Amino acid sequence: MKHVILIFEKFPGCIFQKNILEGGAEVSLMIGLLIGIMVGVLLSRFIFREKPVGSLRVDESDPDSGPYLFLELDRSGADAIYKQRYVRLRVELKNYISHK
């Protein structure tokens, strides 16, 4: 640990100070580790987020029957569905029959 203190003392403007390295090296290491884990989790959630393969259109304009569901796939088509175990869809609620 003495060698580490001497190395960091030689760098001008270094963020590590002598009192942190002597007494709280473990604490600063744990804080850095936790910050790294949090950044890694956030980045992985953003990178590996599932993209929708299409939309599910819901038409509830006919009060006598249940809602009509229409599946509209994006340009990737059925290949995107076959390659995945679970898919994500956008839900669009729109009534196509007017009641005037």
Side-chain angles (χ1 to χ4, degrees), residues 1 11 13 17-18 22 37 46 51 62 75 79 81 92 100:
M1 190 65 171
F11 292 127
Q17 297 175 358
K18 188 174 181 179
E22 286 178 355
I37 289 172
F46 179 73
K51 287 139 182 93
D62 189 7
R75 293 189 185 268
D79 293 335
I81 294 176
E92 298 176 5
K100 290 183 180 180

Side-chain angles (χ1 to χ4, degrees), residues 53 73-85 87:
V53 295
L73 297 176
D74 291 339
R75 293 189 185 268
S76 58
D79 293 335
I81 294 176
Y82 291 136
K83 292 178 183 177
Q84 298 177 8
R85 188 171 181 172
V87 294

Side-chain angles (χ1 to χ4, degrees), residues 10-34:
K10 293 180 182 179
F11 292 127
C14 184
I15 59 172
F16 294 105
Q17 297 175 358
K18 188 174 181 179
N19 59 356
I20 291 175
L21 287 175
E22 286 178 355
E26 295 83 16
V27 174
S28 62
L29 182 65
M30 291 300 290
I31 290 172
L33 183 64
L34 288 175

Side-chain angles (χ1 to χ4, degrees), residues 4 6 9 13 16 20-22 29 32-33 37-38 42 45 53 57-58 67 69 71-73 76 78 84-86 99:
V4 174
L6 293 175
E9 285 177 349
F16 294 105
I20 291 175
L21 287 175
E22 286 178 355
L29 182 65
L33 183 64
I37 289 172
M38 288 175 22
L42 290 175
R45 288 192 70 179
V53 295
R57 221 173 13 131
V58 180
L69 304 175
L71 176 64
E72 297 175 346
L73 297 176
S76 58
Q84 298 177 8
R85 188 171 181 172
Y86 299 101
H99 296 288

